[in-house]
Amino acid sequence: FYTQHRALGLWAVMERKSGEFLGWICLRPAMTYKFAHEAGFQDGEAELGYRFRQMAWGQGYATEASQAVMARGWE
């Protein structure tokens, strides 16, 4: 699926200076979520998700990564 839709996928988020792994972010078809119907997702929608190590919380990494992934998704 992801080879057909290059805007969708799963990416590692790394700290620029140190290269340290901070977490991950994904943009995937919403209907692949186990509880998609219960969540109210519909065909054609995408889900943005992320998980970061606690030491990265509150530093803007989720915002920056989300903006980059969304920009890629709208290309």
Side-chain angles (χ1 to χ4, degrees):
F1 184 86
Y2 293 110
T3 57
Q4 297 170 351
H5 303 280
R6 298 213 180 259
L8 303 177
L10 175 67
W11 298 271
V13 178
M14 313 295 283
E15 204 279 326
R16 283 188 181 130
K17 273 187 181 177
S18 68
E20 184 174 4
F21 175 78
L22 300 175
W24 56 261
I25 188 163
C26 70
L27 187 61
R28 66 181 184 172
M31 296 308 289
T32 62
Y33 175 48
K34 182 177 181 178
F35 299 105
H37 293 287
E38 293 83 353
F41 292 148
Q42 298 178 11
D43 286 331
E45 293 182 333
E47 175 189 15
L48 174 70
Y50 52 83
R51 186 169 296 160
F52 286 87
R53 296 173 55 200
Q54 190 170 3
M55 54 80 69
W57 294 1
Q59 298 185 43
Y61 293 116
T63 300
E64 185 177 347
S66 296
Q67 290 171 343
V69 167
M70 293 303 295
R72 178 183 174 121
W74 288 109
E75 285 180 352

